[in-house]
């Protein structure tokens, strides 16, 4: 069982920055071809991918709304995934979730394909 624990959410004003962290545990050696990613869900809206990354990869695939404002990175030695968010807008207000799946040829952005989820962390951006 993979467990994910997010941290780093909070409240900022428009144009501000936040960095989220997600610590993963429970991976097996055979999970090196898995995927991790960040998703978000605003009230009344569908969950959408912020960006996803292969556990053995370096280039994330981002959602169209990111527009260069967010950066996903990982520290494999710490089993930690990061989401650096800059130039935040009120439209970015949502609960942000870390997600993982054990194996995939391609790390897609469909949230339904991810089996493991963190508890979520609230990000609120005020104007």
């Amino acid at each position: 069982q993979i467990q994910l624990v997010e941290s780093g959410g909070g409240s900022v004003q428009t144009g501000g920055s936040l960095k989220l962290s997600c610590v993963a545990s429970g991976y097996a050696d055979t999970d090196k071809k898995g995927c991790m990613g960040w998703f978000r869900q605003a009230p009344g809206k569908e969950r959408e991918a912020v960006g996803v990354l292969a556990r053995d990869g370096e280039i994330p695939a981002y959602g169209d709304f990111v527009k260069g404002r967010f950066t996903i990175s990982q520290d494999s030695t710490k089993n930690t995934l990061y989401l650096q968010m800059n130039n935040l807008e009120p439209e970015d207000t949502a609960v942000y979730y870390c997600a993982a799946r054990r194996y995939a040829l391609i790390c897609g952005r469909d949230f339904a394909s991810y089996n493991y989820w963190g508890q979520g962390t609230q990000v609120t951006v005020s104007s």
Side-chain angles (χ1 to χ4, degrees):
Q1 184 82 357
I2 296 173
Q3 295 182 324
L4 305 170
V5 179
E6 304 108 332
S7 61
S11 297
V12 296
Q13 293 188 327
T14 297
S17 298
L18 282 173
K19 186 173 184 177
L20 308 184
S21 300
C22 172
V23 179
S25 60
Y27 272 113
D29 289 342
T30 52
D31 293 327
K32 291 181 180 179
K33 288 298 183 181
C35 308
M36 292 187 71
W38 289 99
F39 293 77
R40 71 182 189 181
Q41 189 164 20
K45 294 188 177 182
E46 280 197 353
R47 192 168 295 190
E48 61 181 349
V50 177
V52 298
L53 178 66
R55 291 195 70 219
D56 63 352
E58 297 180 354
I59 303 175
Y62 294 102
D64 293 339
F65 62 86
V66 170
K67 298 179 182 177
R69 299 180 299 131
F70 300 172
T71 302
I72 292 176
S73 60
Q74 63 183 340
D75 183 339
S76 299
T77 64
K78 298 179 180 179
N79 271 339
T80 302
L81 186 72
Y82 302 100
L83 175 62
Q84 175 68 49
M85 301 185 290
N86 299 324
N87 196 19
L88 283 160
E89 304 168 350
E91 293 74 21
D92 296 314
T93 295
V95 178
Y96 284 70
Y97 296 91
C98 178
R101 57 177 294 175
R102 289 193 179 275
Y103 177 82
L105 292 176
I106 298 175
C107 293
R109 291 180 285 171
D110 179 8
F111 73 85
S113 66
Y114 288 76
N115 311 104
Y116 303 96
W117 293 86
Q119 79 283 1
T121 185
Q122 177 70 45
V123 171
T124 302
V125 185
S126 57
S127 57

